[in-house]
Amino acid sequence: MSARTPVAALLTAAVFAFAPAQALIVPMTGWTPVAGNANEWIDEAGACLLREEKHGQAFPAFKTQDQARAFALKLQSKLSARKVREVVTQPVDRAGAWSILASYSYEQGGVTYRISQLYLSDSGILRTVTGSSAEFEGSPCVNAMREFLRYLAD
């Protein structure tokens, strides 16, 4: 894959240790599972990548926006202490439960990637849906991926 594709960045940009999760449903035209793995999807141009992962660590279900906001600020501080830049976190509503959406920049091999990562509570266990693209990628997949993470992924 070329340096502009986000696959390598997404593999190393993750902040936590990962374990397999159930299959992610990506409702965007032209996206296909990577190597038949329904937890990892790439757009037809190879410019954007989505990955769903279930972590073995506990993660609370936030009942209020204030609870989610407090956690988002802690997460922003933790992410900022790592090899990522321009960290922004925010609570997002998912059918009456609150989750956290984080976005940040990550550099690998001289290429800067924009990462959007949704933190969800799946029966009290952390599950993330992460999107990645090169920083100045102009493909239509970038906005579609970010909108999916912001509004639809759950």
Side-chain angles (χ1 to χ4, degrees):
M1 300 206 152
S2 71
R4 92 183 241 277
T5 61
V7 175
L10 191 54
L11 291 174
T12 58
V15 178
F16 301 101
F18 301 121
Q22 295 182 7
L24 178 65
I25 297 172
V26 177
M28 294 171 299
T29 304
W31 287 66
T32 57
V34 174
N37 178 358
N39 294 332
E40 190 172 88
W41 292 73
I42 194 162
D43 76 297
E44 58 194 350
C48 298
L49 182 78
L50 279 167
R51 174 183 286 163
E52 177 185 42
E53 297 169 295
K54 192 165 187 176
H55 311 261
Q57 74 184 72
F59 190 73
F62 303 110
K63 294 180 182 172
T64 68
Q65 185 177 15
D66 287 339
Q67 288 175 333
R69 185 177 296 116
F71 184 86
L73 291 172
K74 289 177 189 175
L75 178 62
Q76 184 169 346
S77 179
K78 281 188 168 190
L79 288 171
S80 294
R82 299 187 185 250
K83 294 174 79 174
V84 299
R85 299 183 327 266
E86 301 168 337
V87 179
V88 176
T89 59
Q90 63 181 323
V92 291
D93 186 17
R94 288 295 186 270
W98 289 92
S99 299
I100 309 301
L101 181 62
S103 66
Y104 51 89
S105 294
Y106 178 82
E107 188 173 329
Q108 178 186 349
V111 178
T112 301
Y113 297 93
R114 287 298 301 164
I115 310 296
S116 295
Q117 192 167 42
L118 182 63
Y119 292 74
L120 302 155
S121 180
D122 188 352
S123 300
I125 302 297
L126 175 62
R127 183 168 55 92
T128 57
V129 181
T130 306
S132 177
S133 63
E135 183 175 34
F136 297 110
E137 177 60 52
S139 173
C141 70
V142 175
N143 285 335
M145 177 181 67
R146 289 181 184 157
E147 286 180 15
F148 171 72
L149 288 166
R150 174 68 179 100
Y151 300 108
L152 300 174
D154 64 0

